[in-house]
Amino acid sequence: RVLRASAHGSTKYAPSPMLSDSLCTCALLLEQLHASGTAEHAQSAAQLANRVWQRRGDRLFALLEPASEGDADKVQAASLRCLKAMATASDDVARAIVQRSIGGGSSVVALLNGCEKPRRSREVCGALVELVAVLLRVGPRELLSAEHGRLASSPLRLVEWLPRGARLRGLAALQTHVLGNGALSFRLVAPVANHAALAKLAPLLSAGGDLCKVTAAFLLKLSEVHAAAERQREAHGGGGGGGGAAASR
């Protein structure tokens, strides 16, 4: 019933307040089941997430498409929260969402494009990064390979527009699942080392508290990845004398 509030095959949000509230209720149920700490509840959450995805996955992605209605941002943010809760509860659903997100004409990529424009919605930006942080757990290679890594690096690209919690979880996910993933080549990780994006982290170092600590840990891990890539390049004779000079600098 939660997702039948939208007309079949349509992206109209009517009635928007009821629909966004229903989506948030569905997400909250999944979040509470998964976070309860019991194996039985975790299994129930995974089963519910799989069932919702099979029956209403297409509808959830349709709700992410651009719309001009006044409450469109709330519906999009609520849909993203629901997708995040489903991905958290079930790795199978998370992998399916990754594949759907990087496909041609993806509404998730369209949302990212919107978040990078001046008239962006902070609520949608935060919900999008929260979803990406969860998806990086199961599909870092796929997300880094698609769209020049724009979706995977969104926690960095959008960091100045994110709520504090989304900043924390986004950076932590990049550190753990991208920079800390030894199976990924430096070429794949490169979008996360984008200088323009990294420059946005400087103000966070003076933010204090957990955000400062997470930012510092992320930058330290990034420097380790850079150093390892440089050592590997030199070991394969990639830079000759110039490589040594660059390393010393």
Side-chain angles (χ1 to χ4, degrees), residues 78-197:
S79 298
L80 289 166
R81 181 181 173 185
C82 196
L83 287 168
K84 174 205 167 189
M86 292 161 59
T88 301
S90 168
D91 284 355
D92 289 339
V93 173
R95 294 186 188 95
I97 293 174
V98 167
Q99 294 304 315
R100 183 68 178 268
S101 298
I102 63 178
S106 165
S107 52
V108 174
V109 173
L111 273 187
L112 175 61
N113 294 337
C115 285
E116 293 180 334
K117 294 179 180 178
R119 297 184 65 181
R120 57 179 64 81
S121 163
R122 289 176 180 266
E123 185 178 12
V124 172
C125 290
L128 176 60
V129 167
E130 294 273 15
L131 173 61
V132 169
V134 173
L135 298 183
L136 282 170
R137 187 187 77 250
V138 299
R141 184 181 300 277
E142 292 83 353
L143 290 171
L144 287 163
S145 300
E147 289 283 321
H148 306 289
R150 289 176 60 239
L151 197 57
S153 61
S154 60
L156 276 178
R157 300 168 68 89
L158 304 177
V159 69
E160 59 193 314
W161 299 100
L162 300 178
R164 188 181 185 89
R167 288 177 175 179
L168 284 168
R169 288 180 283 276
L171 289 176
L174 286 177
Q175 180 181 342
T176 302
H177 304 302
V178 176
L179 300 181
N181 188 337
L184 299 177
S185 68
F186 186 75
R187 180 184 61 80
L188 272 179
V189 174
V192 177
N194 179 279
H195 292 296

